[in-house]
Structure formats: C-alpha cells, structure tokens
Amino acid sequence: MKEIYPELGYRNGELFFEEVPLKEVVQRVGTPVYVYSRKALEYWFNEFDLAFSEVPHTTCFAVKSNSNVHVLKVLKELGAGADTVSMGEIFRALTSGINPKKVVFAGVGKREEELHFALERGILMVNVESEGELYALEKVAQKLGRRAPLAVRVNPDVNPKTHPYISTGLKEAKFGVTFEKAFELYRYAKKSRWLEPVGIHFHIGSQITDISVFGEAARKVANFVRELHSEGIEVEYFDAGGGLGINYRPEEKIVPAKRLAEEIIPVVKELGCHLILEPGRRISGNAGVLITQVLYVKKRENKTFYIVDAGMNDIARPSLYGAYHHIVPLQEREGENVVADVVGPICETGDVIAKERELPSLKEGDYIAVLSAGAYGFTMASNYNSRPRPAEVMVEGENFKIVRQRETLSDLIAREF
Ligand code: LLP
C-alpha cells in the first residue's frame, strides 16, 4: 500500500482504508459519508497511551472530537476513559461502556441538571471552571447526599501558538480560573462537607505542535499543586488536558506523542500524582475521512470550481477556521493537476472546503476523500439548509458497517410535530 496515513493509502490506484476499497463504501452507502478505521483508531490510541506508560495515567478521549458510540466502544476496549463537556457526552460515554470512574466533566456553563446527572452516575471528577459553579456543585451534592469529587480548572496563562478560536489557556480566555482564585476555591472545597477536591485541571488549547508550551504550563500548574500540598490540600489527579496536534498535511511529519510525554512525565513523577490526559483530535483525526462526490465542474476564465455534495454543514472546519484538509481522489489520477476551489452546495460564499488547491483533474461523478476528518467532523455537522447529516461507517479489516444511518427527510422535521 502507498500509505498516506496509517491504514489509509492507495493500492493499484484505488484508495483503501485497511482492506476496504473506499469505492465499495460509496457504492453501498452513498455520499457524503464519514468513514473511520478501527485499526487507525487503535494505532493512534496506542501511540498516545503507550508514550505515558511509565506513569500511572488514564487517557480520557475527548468525546467532542468524535462522539460516535462505536468509536467510543473501540477506544473503551483499549482502556480509554472519556473527557466530556455535557450531559449528552457523559451519556454517550457511559452507553459505550466506559467506566464512570474514568470520566471527567469540564465546560464553563454546566447546568444544575448536568451536574446532578454527573454525580449520580459516579464520574471521576467535575472540572469546575468558576466560583459560581463550585457553589452550584455543592448544592447539587447536598441534594443528592453525595460528596462531589472535583478538580478546579486553572488557567496557566501560556500561549499555545495555535488558532485563536482554539486557544484556551490565555488570561483573556473564558476558561478556568486564575491560580489566585483557584486557591480560594480549594480552601472552600476542603472545608465543605459536600465537596471533595481530588484533582487539578488545565487545558491550554488545541492543534498544538509547539510542544514546549505543554511543559511550561505543566510546570506552572505543578508549582501551584505544591503550594496546595503545603496547605494540606492534597490532590491526586493531575489532568493535563488535550491539544496535541496532528499533521493535516500528510507530507509534514507528525509530532510523536513521546515528545509530549517527555514534557509532562518528569513533572507528574515529581508530584506523584495520577496523570489524566484528554486527547481528542490526536486519536480520531487521522482515523477518519469524509467522502464526497463531485457534482459539477464549473469553469470560469481563470477559475475552476469543483462543486461537491458535502457542504459546510457536513464539515465546518474549513469555513469556520480556514482550516486545511488534504484532499485526494478515490481513484488515483495521472496527468496534469488543476488549481481549483472545492465548494459545497450551501448558499453561502464561505462554503468552501479547499481554496485554490492543486488537485488532479476531476470529472463530474468522481469521488474525493477529505482527509483528517475523524475529529471535529461529524460532531460539528449541522442540518443547515435542511440537509440530512451524513452516514458514518466503520471499517474493520475487510469489512465495514454503518455505525450511524444517514439522516432522512422525516428526521429533519421529526421534532416539529
Ligand atoms: N479537553 C478540553 C477541556 C477541551 O476543551 C478540548 C478541546 C480537549 C480536551 C480536546 O482537545 P484536542 O485534543 O482535540 O485538541 N473544533 C475545533 C477544536 C476545538 C477544541 C475544543 N476543546 C477544531 O475543529 O479545530
């Protein structure tokens, strides 16, 4: 196989995921369709998880990156926990069989109902992001007659040098609290009958490839943990968040997870804490593709548009962040490349999947794969323009199965009666 990413590549000119020619998926399921590879998920999970084997740790997959129950099941079998940000995500994680003791729950705006749900299910800890939330959690715990295990999410004020929309650890971001505030919250929690501070949490951003910032943040947070310890507040879990980037351009080298481990392991070893990690994109990103069909080829004087059947409602990242997703044809093409815009059917100029991209010359009816679409692909899809959301498929060896049916027209209006 001429490999592009692990488990994805060409054989005799045809694009395969594992042993399955993607053309077969399209013939059976249609387009647009998200396709995931079980082996690729396993590859990326293991690459990440094994890098940390030297220390006690739990890899809590960030469910927001890909929340399909079948994806979660694959990861659960490998020992994954779940990083969640809503009741819905906790529900999905538990439905997939993930042990509640491996579930963490973050998010700046948790409703009481959600805190209640989380505590009742006995999750590992709630990552508290504000003073108000701490009081809300205390109230809910008291109502339930159960102590609430928690971590305070601190904002270490480091610059992750990534897209501003996905930078979360800067002072001006809405996430977490300052070290100063965190101290107050831990003191309060320590005294409360209903609160039990068991961990500390930080997450500085996403798609980070400059690894040194992780070390910088971890050391800042570790210093704070030592201050807590000296006041008699012991925290057991050191939750270092997610954010490790991937290579959206296959020709670029991916940063090995080992490099991240080298930054973090010495810090937790010294603290003697149990490490929690929350990778999302790193595990699911390159384990999925979105396949779409070229509906029309529109030529203008000096411009070519490939109009495809997937729009910004199906894959939001390019239009939302100007993100780059590599595109390859399902059938390898010889000959001259063309510079074209790959655009969707949505009635907005911003509905672009790739701008001025050098691509093989394509014809109407051809299929292309949008790569690195396993993370923040389907989970960010919407029904905009009343378009049913795509099907999802899981490949395993020579077989594949539909793991989410394509939505139908009646699904679109089902809640309106
Ligand atoms: N933990 C927390 C608290 C988070 O907020 C996030 C992502 C993660 C873990 C996982 O981050 P990852 O390992 O996937 O980088 N929609 C954007 C990404 C938003 C990330 C939000 N938080 C995108 O498509 O690039």
Side-chain angles (χ1 to χ4, degrees):
M1 177 149 90
K2 226 164 75 190
E3 199 168 76
I4 306 174
Y5 290 118
E7 304 299 336
L8 180 78
Y10 287 101
R11 279 185 207 174
N12 301 324
E14 278 207 54
L15 192 65
F16 274 68
F17 232 166
E18 302 188 31
E19 313 298 320
V20 173
L22 288 171
K23 198 173 67 192
E24 258 179 40
V25 174
V26 162
Q27 280 163 351
R28 180 133 64 103
V29 187
T31 52
V33 58
Y34 277 95
V35 187
Y36 313 123
S37 147
R38 181 182 181 123
K39 275 199 195 142
L41 283 166
E42 290 173 352
Y43 174 90
W44 291 113
F45 182 85
N46 289 332
E47 190 252 354
F48 190 92
D49 193 57
L50 294 174
F52 293 90
S53 51
E54 233 182 278
V55 290
H57 71 281
T58 309
T59 300
C60 294
F61 174 65
V63 174
K64 65 175 82 61
S65 73
N66 190 319
S67 49
N68 186 288
V69 166
H70 299 265
V71 168
L72 300 180
K73 276 187 177 162
V74 168
L75 298 173
K76 176 230 140 190
E77 302 221 322
L78 300 170
D83 157 48
T84 62
V85 288
S86 68
M87 195 159 78
E89 287 189 354
I90 299 174
F91 174 67
R92 282 179 174 279
L94 300 182
T95 303
S96 312
I98 293 177
N99 183 340
K101 281 282 158 274
K102 289 186 177 183
V103 174
V104 294
F105 181 25
V108 287
K110 305 181 191 78
R111 283 175 294 121
E112 247 182 62
E113 177 197 8
E114 296 186 289
L115 293 170
H116 187 277
F117 186 87
L119 288 188
E120 212 179 22
R121 301 297 187 285
I123 69 162
L124 180 70
M125 61 189 191
V126 176
N127 295 342
V128 170
E129 305 222 16
S130 63
E131 186 171 350
E133 187 189 334
L134 189 73
Y135 303 145
L137 183 65
E138 185 180 37
K139 209 166 90 189
V140 172
Q142 181 171 14
K143 243 192 243 164
L144 263 170
R146 241 189 205 211
R147 288 185 85 195
L150 69 99
V152 174
R153 175 168 180 179
V154 289
N155 187 329
D157 193 23
V158 295
N159 186 351
K161 301 174 199 145
T162 179
H163 193 289
Y165 284 14
I166 51 178
S167 296
T168 47
L170 279 168
K171 226 177 19 218
E172 55 268 33
K174 68 178 175 181
F175 300 97
V177 299
T178 59
F179 286 120
E180 224 180 346
K181 185 53 133 189
F183 229 119
E184 277 174 36
L185 301 190
Y186 276 107
R187 282 196 192 110
Y188 181 89
K190 173 87 179 158
K191 278 196 244 137
S192 163
R193 166 150 187 234
W194 299 107
L195 299 172
E196 188 182 10
V198 296
I200 184 137
H201 177 227
F202 63 102
H203 167 81
I204 53 176
S206 197
Q207 185 49 22
I208 299 172
T209 50
D210 178 347
I211 301 301
S212 62
V213 298
F214 285 109
E216 186 190 336
R219 284 186 292 274
K220 274 190 167 180
V221 175
N223 284 336
F224 177 72
V225 170
R226 278 186 276 273
E227 281 179 48
L228 284 179
H229 284 182
S230 66
E231 278 222 11
I233 303 168
E234 297 282 337
V235 298
E236 184 181 351
Y237 299 102
F238 187 88
D239 182 345
L244 181 60
I246 60 171
N247 53 340
Y248 279 97
R249 295 170 198 264
E251 71 276 13
E252 280 173 13
K253 272 227 157 82
I254 194 157
V255 185
K258 267 249 167 261
R259 281 279 301 107
L260 173 65
E262 282 162 15
E263 292 285 330
I264 307 235
I265 285 178
V267 181
V268 276
K269 258 195 177 161
E270 210 186 314
L271 286 178
C273 286
H274 180 107
L275 177 63
I276 304 233
L277 296 144
E278 304 174 343
R281 185 189 324 262
R282 178 59 179 218
I283 288 166
S284 56
N286 283 340
V289 302
L290 171 68
I291 306 176
T292 175
Q293 184 176 36
V294 178
L295 297 175
Y296 305 106
V297 179
K298 191 164 174 172
K299 291 203 162 122
R300 295 236 177 94
E301 265 162 68
N302 43 24
K303 194 130 194 137
T304 300
F305 292 101
Y306 290 144
I307 301 169
V308 299
D309 69 358
M312 64 196 276
N313 72 299
D314 302 302
I315 179 149
R317 302 194 71 256
S319 52
L320 194 54
Y321 314 116
Y324 179 95
H325 281 262
H326 201 69
I327 293 177
V328 296
L330 288 209
Q331 185 85 50
E332 232 176 351
R333 298 252 174 253
E334 309 270 302
E336 291 264 301
N337 281 355
V338 176
V339 174
D341 283 8
V342 180
V343 298
I346 301 278
C347 300
E348 296 214 22
T349 307
D351 181 24
V352 177
I353 299 181
K355 206 155 180 73
E356 286 165 20
R357 184 74 63 82
E358 194 178 326
L359 286 169
S361 169
L362 298 170
K363 300 186 306 310
E364 294 177 358
D366 282 351
Y367 294 101
I368 56 176
V370 181
L371 307 189
S372 311
Y376 307 107
F378 188 89
T379 53
M380 291 175 77
S382 78
N383 290 119
Y384 188 39
N385 279 203
S386 282
R387 290 164 50 81
R389 282 179 297 172
E392 294 181 285
V393 162
M394 177 85 72
V395 165
E396 188 179 344
E398 290 176 350
N399 302 311
F400 65 89
K401 61 177 182 200
I402 297 176
V403 291
R404 184 185 164 103
Q405 299 284 347
R406 183 180 305 287
E407 285 178 352
T408 62
L409 294 180
S410 37
D411 287 334
L412 289 179
I413 53 167
R415 297 260 143 201
E416 290 166 37
F417 293 94

